[in-house]
Amino acid sequence: MKIFTATHRQSVAAYGELRLITEVRRWLGDVSPRAPFGIGDDCAVLPPTKRAQLVTTDPVIHGQHFDDAVPARAAGAKLLKRNLSDIAAMGGRPVAAVLSLALAPATNVAWLREFYLGLAACARRYEVKIVGGDITQAPAGFFGAFLTLHGEATSQRVITRNGARLHDHLFVTGRLGGSRRNHHYSFQPRLAEGAWLARQSEVAAMMDVSDGIAKDVQALTPTGLTASILPSALPVSIAAKTAACTSHRPAWVHSLTDGEDYELLFVVRARTDAAKFIARWKKQFSTPLHRIGHFSRKIESGHVDWKTLHGYEHLR
Amino acid sequence: MKIFTATHRQSVAAYGELRLITEVRRWLGDVSPRAPFGIGDDCAVLPPTKRAQLVTTDPVIHGQHFDDAVPARAAGAKLLKRNLSDIAAMGGRPVAAVLSLALAPATNVAWLREFYLGLAACARRYEVKIVGGDITQAPAGFFGAFLTLHGEATSQRVITRNGARLHDHLFVTGRLGGSRRNHHYSFQPRLAEGAWLARQSEVAAMMDVSDGIAKDVQALTPTGLTASILPSALPVSIAAKTAACTSHRPAWVHSLTDGEDYELLFVVRARTDAAKFIARWKKQFSTPLHRIGHFSRKIESGHVDWKTLHGYEHLR
């Protein structure tokens, strides 16, 4: 199904704002609480919290984060999952979201319904309520959904990107690279893994990999240090190997630079035995976990040279 | 200054994402706290709250909520003020915001700087911190800024749109209509007024007027009742009178249908003496306040007939 339609009666313009909002609430079903706790008042009301709150915002824009090859339901789910991955990266649990939609008048209502059903199914699965939003007209050809997700800490600690020290281990979940094939929307946010990691005192810092390790690891790297990663230690996905066949670049380069992996990249204290840490992990999760390197003063021989690799930079 | 530029080196594309984010933090200055309480980690962290939290989301999109006639600083301030008006309508106070930006590569950096400076000045004035955000590339010609604002209740009570009863008074702040002249961006959100109203037990329901009273009052009107408003009781703005000269419709019609007034429309119990209520108000505020009508079973003779008037409906 196409996102835009040439047939007026199938378009959001034929529905108008008020009828469309009624439909949206029907599509969301039990994921949309009644006002004032949900859609329908000037603000959504959330109860007081005892724990630190987490807030993140990420959109999906047609032509940028998904295209016509991605099913509408998967695009709706991706919108929430991108934000869930950020909550996971702080060791939090998601609570509630608001959604601001900007859409061209020719947006197909049937497509939009699928988008919302995908969003609602994902929200139900991760116990997130959609508590508010806005629908605004955008120029022809534009569809953007801008979600802000609220969560809270699952333990006393919120894990940030800061905290790595010299010799600390660098770990990553899952397998990386080639996400454009379908991983960029079929991924699973690592919420249970993130919450578990936040409870392990030897985990010093964490983030999710959205633009590729080559770019993202810089945010974990303290001033004066560098991340030393052996190419052979990188968990390369099958999609990265497929991409390597046509790009004629090594699969491990794809695993560092393709982006949209939505895996957790985290730092464990140097004193921790990496093999024992992985053994403890395997008792909890089937998600792959690999030690890919450590922090050092200089890039060591045979390790990845960051000067030659770049992750995905927006607006370039 | 134009929002888009044909000169590459003046565009956000020439800056790239990382340098642009550095600039954005510089433009925001003290309005942008350090990570993890602000920009720079996967999520922003907000402290636990004792009071009910309020969340609202509203964008500004070029060509929709502002055009080239609106100064960039005013557009940036409008983005926050639209959301502040929603917090005011629940009787809350604002706390922190996240901002998701979708912009064409040809967006002029100098224009964007002005936009952020206007946003920052407004945030400073209302003591709001900008704690997170996202910048994403959009198709040529598009600029949209999607803000989610968090606030909290200022008293035990959060005022919602529900609560009006038969014979209750209907009040409105300020003067209405003709907002397209400049009120749509020069307005002042009624935060102090909203917080005061939330503490008055005789105030039963409240909302802000964003699409015009003709549309918005329906949300305050209980099933089976109607809002009876005398045209002569409406506080008509000078801009509405000016608009009436060219539209050949009465100024009071503009005051009900133009929208973007961002005034507070609220319900006071029938037992309250309206004149005494206004006298109490005048001890607190210089903002105009008028009783414009009441809730009745039927539209009474000489009162506004809602069937013939419509507020601003999006996507129509």
Side-chain angles (χ1 to χ4, degrees), chain A residues 17 44 46 53 55 148 150 215, chain B residues 17 44 46 53 148 150 215:
Chain A
E17 180 197 6
L46 297 178
Q53 302 175 76
V55 187
T148 301
H150 302 241
K215 177 179 166 194
Chain B
E17 180 198 5
L46 296 177
Q53 302 174 77
T148 300
H150 302 241
K215 178 181 166 192

Side-chain angles (χ1 to χ4, degrees), chain B residues 135-147:
Chain B
I135 298 181
T136 302
Q137 187 170 322
F142 187 85
F143 176 89
F146 300 79
L147 189 132

Side-chain angles (χ1 to χ4, degrees), chain A:
Chain A
M1 187 170 11
K2 289 269 179 67
I3 182 168
F4 302 117
T5 175
T7 311
H8 178 74
R9 69 184 159 73
Q10 296 173 347
S11 73
V12 296
Y15 271 61
E17 180 197 6
L18 298 181
R19 197 171 141 213
L20 196 57
I21 291 171
T22 305
E23 289 293 305
V24 162
R25 300 189 68 172
R26 217 162 53 83
W27 298 334
L28 290 175
D30 59 338
V31 163
S32 163
R34 285 175 173 233
F37 300 102
I39 298 167
D41 219 301
D42 294 285
C43 299
V45 179
L46 297 178
T49 58
K50 289 198 178 120
R51 290 195 162 138
Q53 302 175 76
L54 306 172
V55 187
T56 185
T57 186
D58 266 320
V60 293
I61 299 175
H62 180 249
Q64 193 72 22
H65 304 98
F66 69 93
D67 57 22
D68 291 335
V70 176
R73 288 197 193 214
K78 179 178 181 179
L79 172 63
L80 182 54
K81 290 195 294 181
R82 293 190 76 199
N83 287 279
L84 288 168
S85 184
D86 285 321
I87 298 282
M90 308 284 281
R93 75 171 187 89
V95 176
V98 294
L99 173 54
S100 202
L101 216 63
L103 37 67
T107 305
N108 188 338
V109 172
W111 184 93
L112 191 63
R113 177 177 179 272
E114 291 292 307
F115 180 88
Y116 268 98
L117 292 179
L119 171 66
C122 183
R124 211 167 281 122
R125 175 169 172 186
Y126 292 101
E127 296 179 45
V128 176
K129 298 292 181 189
I130 309 292
V131 296
D134 179 75
I135 298 180
T136 302
Q137 187 170 320
F142 188 85
F143 176 90
F146 300 78
L147 189 131
T148 301
L149 179 60
H150 302 241
E152 59 178 31
T154 54
S155 61
Q156 289 305 311
R157 190 163 72 127
V158 166
I159 299 206
T160 71
R161 295 177 176 184
N162 287 307
R165 296 198 295 239
L166 184 64
H167 306 310
D168 280 355
H169 307 286
L170 199 50
F171 282 85
V172 74
T173 63
R175 298 187 173 277
L176 307 161
S179 65
R180 272 169 217 204
R181 204 176 163 85
N182 61 39
H183 180 79
H184 77 95
Y185 62 85
S186 69
F187 70 94
Q188 300 301 324
R190 304 299 191 191
L191 283 159
E193 292 87 343
W196 184 83
L197 290 166
R199 290 195 304 272
Q200 314 306 312
S201 60
E202 62 265 60
V203 177
M206 181 156 66
M207 69 185 301
D208 76 328
V209 185
S210 52
D211 294 334
I213 287 182
K215 177 179 166 194
D216 292 338
V217 77
Q218 312 304 330
L220 289 178
T221 308
T223 312
L225 298 186
T226 186
S228 282
I229 293 179
L230 271 176
S232 60
L234 285 161
V236 172
S237 68
I238 292 167
K241 288 174 190 163
T242 308
C245 293
T246 50
S247 74
H248 304 295
R249 294 189 301 164
W252 66 265
V253 170
H254 284 278
S255 78
L256 290 175
T257 59
D258 285 357
E260 296 224 73
D261 300 297
Y262 300 108
E263 295 293 348
L264 296 177
L265 181 67
F266 61 93
V267 177
V268 172
R269 288 286 173 239
R271 64 170 185 270
T272 304
D273 184 307
K276 282 186 186 164
F277 189 87
I278 291 174
R280 269 166 55 208
W281 171 275
K282 286 193 171 162
K283 284 184 191 161
Q284 303 283 332
F285 304 110
S286 58
T287 308
L289 181 67
H290 292 86
R291 181 189 181 281
I292 59 170
H294 65 285
F295 290 99
S296 56
R297 292 197 207 277
K298 287 182 190 172
I299 296 173
E300 295 162 15
S301 164
H303 289 67
V304 176
D305 182 0
W306 299 116
K307 284 193 293 293
T308 64
L309 292 174
H310 303 281
Y312 181 77
E313 190 176 355
H314 305 267
L315 293 170
R316 279 289 187 188

Side-chain angles (χ1 to χ4, degrees), chain B residues 21-40:
Chain B
I21 290 172
T22 305
E23 289 293 304
V24 162
R25 299 188 68 171
R26 215 162 54 83
W27 299 334
L28 290 175
D30 59 339
V31 162
S32 162
R34 285 173 174 235
F37 300 102
I39 299 166

